């Protein structure tokens, strides 16, 4: 441990005495405690113990991620020592802990030391819901909406269980879910799980949320285990799933990689090591944002429907202070969104807070657009994909590189659309696009 490191202990009920050198954490540090979490899961029976323990560890890691505000010398990396109570600690041997710490390090660029000990005793999840045939994550963004619409139109009788977030997106997710429900050929159930962290003694929370994706994947995996479903779908277009950094200062954890092929490889390896039979897959990895938007339109959604989805990457504290305008319009995910909708529909009806076509592109608000333009002006190839994150053998780079080149063409078309002819940005605009 370095001087900047901190030690935490997550106990199941918050009542056990914690060693003085560790900061105590528990289920009580979440707005929605385990009882409410269980009620919202829409389970068809008890999840397997390994899945409950995985969710417990993911909740503990997310809690630490939010409570430990980044103030270290390099402004980002932290050293974290975390102890977590689980029901079956014997499953967490050295290989499993190595996979877990590698996964957390890949997501956050922090150094993690995790140990899993006994002591947890979970409530028994009730058997009160019809069994689902398919489980998919649902954020209310374009990608998860597109996948849900496609899955909803499949001619099958099995229930599609959409795992949403119960936070400030709750109402918008429900609205988008209604659009999808109008297309359905099968039963659909949306559940919205609350994982909001309460402020700690200092009253502040870390703004970055690099472990949030892992937490919601673990939640969906627990639901899939209870429904005896073998896969969890985590839909994310290939560009954002791989998320090649636009600049050197966006390497590693500074670019979100919650559905990167390597992240999913480590997640699935950890699940297998714990004795689980659930796999997390990204069905949209082969597709660009524009192609995903086209799939949504083909499934029956309209450009107006897609305009109500939310893709913004801004912190919620800034984003939700504007009524109805949940997409800022200038962050990188918003730029990806804008390019995809323009490519698929020729129009983007989203009510953005900032219209870049009417903005001075020399200001801070346009920094992501300028970085994107510089990235498109440079060459792009094999080495750029492995600069900071390996690829598993199950996802060879030649399989995704053509998709990323198609994506660069979509993005270049968006830049041409947004940047006025008299803008200084045009002087250096010379995108290098593969044929």
């Amino acid at each position: 441990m370095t001087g900047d490191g901190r030690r935490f202990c997550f106990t199941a009920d918050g009542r056990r005495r914690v060693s003085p050198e560790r900061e105590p954490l528990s289920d009580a540090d979440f707005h929605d405690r385990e009882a409410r979490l269980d009620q919202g899961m829409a389970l068809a029976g008890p999840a397997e113990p390994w899945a409950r323990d995985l969710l417990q560890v993911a909740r503990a890691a997310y809690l630490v991620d939010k409570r430990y505000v980044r103030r270290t010398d390099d402004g980002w990396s932290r050293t974290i020592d975390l102890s977590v109570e689980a029901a079956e600690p014997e499953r967490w041997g050295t290989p499993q802990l190595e996979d877990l710490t590698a996964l957390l390090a890949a997501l956050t660029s922090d150094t993690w030391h995790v140990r899993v000990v006994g002591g947890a005793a979970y409530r028994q999840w009730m058997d009160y819901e019809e069994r689902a045939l398919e489980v998919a994550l649902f954020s209310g963004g374009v990608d998860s909406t597109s996948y849900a619409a496609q899955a909803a139109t499949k001619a099958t009788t099995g229930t599609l269980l959409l795992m949403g977030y119960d936070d400030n997106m709750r109402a918008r997710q429900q609205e988008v879910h209604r659009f999808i429900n109008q297309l359905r050929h099968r039963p659909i159930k949306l559940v919205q799980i609350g994982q909001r962290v309460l402020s700690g003694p200092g009253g502040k929370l870390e703004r970055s949320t690099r472990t949030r994706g892992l937490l919601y994947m673990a939640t969906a995996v627990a639901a899939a285990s209870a429904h005896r479903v073998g896969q969890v779908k985590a839909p994310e277009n290939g560009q954002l799933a791989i998320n090649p950094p636009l600049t050197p200062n966006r390497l590693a954890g500074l670019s979100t990689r919650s559905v990167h092929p390597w992240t999913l490889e480590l997640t699935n390896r950890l699940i297998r090591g714990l004795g689980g039979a659930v796999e997390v897959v990204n069905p949209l990895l082969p597709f660009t944002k524009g192609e995903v938007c086209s799939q949504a339109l083909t499934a029956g959604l309209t450009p107006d429907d897609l305009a109500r989805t939310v893709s913004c990457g801004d912190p919620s504290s800034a984003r939700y202070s504007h009524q109805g305008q949940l997409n800022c319009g200038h962050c990188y995910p918003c730029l990806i969104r804008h390019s995809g909708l323009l490519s698929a529909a020729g129009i983007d009806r989203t009510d953005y807070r900032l219209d870049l076509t009417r903005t001075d592109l020399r200001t801070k608000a346009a920094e992501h657009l300028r970085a994107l333009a510089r990235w498109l002006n440079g060459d792009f190839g094999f080495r750029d994909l492995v600069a900071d994150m390996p690829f598993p053998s199950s996802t060879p780079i030649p399989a995704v590189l053509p998709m990323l080149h198609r994506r660069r063409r979509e993005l270049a078309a968006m830049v041409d659309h947004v940047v006025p002819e008299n803008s200084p940005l045009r002087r250096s605009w010379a995108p290098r696009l593969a044929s």
Side-chain angles (χ1 to χ4, degrees):
M1 292 285 291
T2 68
D4 289 323
R6 286 168 62 179
R7 299 174 185 268
F8 300 88
C9 181
F10 185 95
T11 59
D13 56 13
R15 298 175 183 174
R16 290 176 176 82
R17 179 174 297 179
V18 173
S19 175
E21 71 268 15
R22 291 186 180 273
E23 300 175 43
L25 300 172
S26 74
D27 183 58
D29 291 302
F30 286 92
H31 181 266
D32 289 321
R33 302 185 66 173
E34 187 186 9
R36 288 191 62 189
L37 182 67
D38 294 348
Q39 292 168 7
M41 289 286 280
L43 298 178
E48 296 167 281
W50 67 265
R52 292 294 300 268
D53 281 348
L54 177 62
L55 178 54
Q56 178 94 326
V57 170
R59 278 167 68 83
Y62 181 67
L63 182 55
V64 168
D65 193 20
K66 295 299 293 179
R67 286 284 184 87
Y68 190 171
V69 178
R70 297 181 186 274
R71 294 173 180 165
T72 50
D73 292 340
D74 64 4
W76 184 263
S77 298
R78 304 164 297 188
T79 300
I80 298 165
D81 188 307
L82 172 62
S83 175
V84 185
E85 285 188 347
E88 296 186 350
E90 65 275 8
R91 292 179 181 266
W92 295 81
T94 299
Q96 290 72 42
L97 291 175
E98 288 177 348
D99 285 339
L100 173 64
T101 53
L103 174 58
L104 292 171
L107 291 173
T108 67
S109 286
D110 297 317
T111 299
W112 291 77
H113 305 279
V114 183
R115 65 171 183 155
V116 177
V117 299
Y122 305 122
R123 297 173 67 254
Q124 182 66 42
W125 282 345
M126 302 292 290
D127 184 355
Y128 65 93
E129 288 286 344
E130 178 185 353
R131 181 152 298 180
L133 184 67
E134 184 176 4
V135 177
L137 290 172
F138 182 72
S139 67
V142 171
D143 295 345
S144 63
T145 298
S146 175
Y147 180 78
Q150 296 174 65
T153 57
K154 291 180 180 178
T156 176
T157 57
T159 297
L160 169 64
L161 180 61
L162 299 178
M163 303 294 294
Y165 311 155
D166 183 6
D167 57 10
N168 291 318
M169 275 291 295
R170 182 179 180 84
R172 187 59 66 86
Q173 285 178 358
Q174 292 173 347
E175 179 185 359
V176 175
H177 171 252
R178 288 194 292 272
F179 301 150
I180 298 168
N181 212 38
Q182 293 172 358
L183 310 173
R184 68 182 178 92
H185 295 161
R186 62 192 292 194
I188 305 174
K189 184 172 183 63
L190 170 65
V191 298
Q192 294 172 293
I193 306 300
Q195 304 278 19
R196 184 157 55 90
V197 170
L198 299 174
S199 297
K204 292 184 178 180
L205 293 174
E206 169 62 29
R207 295 183 67 184
S208 66
T209 55
R210 294 300 186 240
T211 55
R212 175 174 170 151
L214 174 61
L215 173 59
Y216 280 97
M217 275 195 286
T219 307
V221 166
S225 168
H227 285 269
R228 304 302 184 258
V229 173
Q231 283 190 341
V232 166
K233 309 295 175 51
E236 184 86 81
N237 73 85
Q239 169 76 21
L240 279 184
I242 296 171
N243 206 3
L246 301 183
T247 62
N249 66 351
R250 297 184 185 215
L251 292 173
L254 292 173
S255 291
T256 304
R257 303 291 179 79
S258 59
V259 197
H260 189 281
W262 182 240
T263 302
L264 297 188
E265 170 72 15
L266 289 173
T267 302
N268 291 327
R269 199 159 76 193
L270 175 57
I271 291 172
R272 291 192 299 269
L274 295 174
V278 178
E279 179 185 28
V280 184
V281 299
N282 179 7
L284 300 184
L285 179 64
F287 305 111
T288 69
K289 190 74 165 190
E291 291 161 356
V292 170
C293 291
S294 293
Q295 291 167 359
L297 296 173
T298 300
L301 294 174
T302 68
D304 286 335
D305 295 338
L306 294 180
R308 300 298 292 170
T309 62
V310 180
S311 308
C312 190
D314 271 7
S316 60
S317 58
R319 166 166 112 199
Y320 296 114
S321 60
H322 298 73
Q323 283 190 338
Q325 295 175 305
L326 303 185
N327 294 286
C328 72
H330 60 87
C331 70
Y332 183 55
C334 278
L335 295 176
I336 296 287
R337 168 198 179 88
H338 188 45
S339 67
L341 291 170
L342 288 176
S343 175
I347 190 170
D348 180 2
R349 300 186 185 278
T350 305
D351 183 16
Y352 295 109
R353 294 206 312 269
L354 181 70
D355 182 352
L356 283 174
T357 63
R358 301 178 182 179
T359 302
D360 185 346
L361 299 184
R362 294 169 295 183
T363 62
K364 182 174 177 58
E367 63 178 335
H368 296 282
L369 179 63
R370 295 194 300 269
L372 177 61
R374 288 193 296 270
W375 181 67
L376 292 170
N377 281 342
D379 293 323
F380 181 78
F382 180 95
R383 291 183 180 179
D384 300 282
L385 291 182
V386 294
D388 65 336
M389 188 81 83
F391 272 69
S393 59
S394 58
T395 308
I397 289 179
V400 298
L401 196 54
M403 175 273 298
L404 291 170
H405 283 303
R406 297 197 306 273
R407 185 73 198 111
R408 280 168 63 88
R409 290 194 291 273
E410 291 178 1
L411 289 166
M414 183 272 295
V415 173
D416 277 329
H417 176 80
V418 168
V419 179
E421 289 296 332
N422 61 351
S423 170
L425 195 58
R426 287 281 182 183
R427 299 171 191 164
S428 58
W429 176 236
R432 299 186 184 183
L433 306 175
S435 58

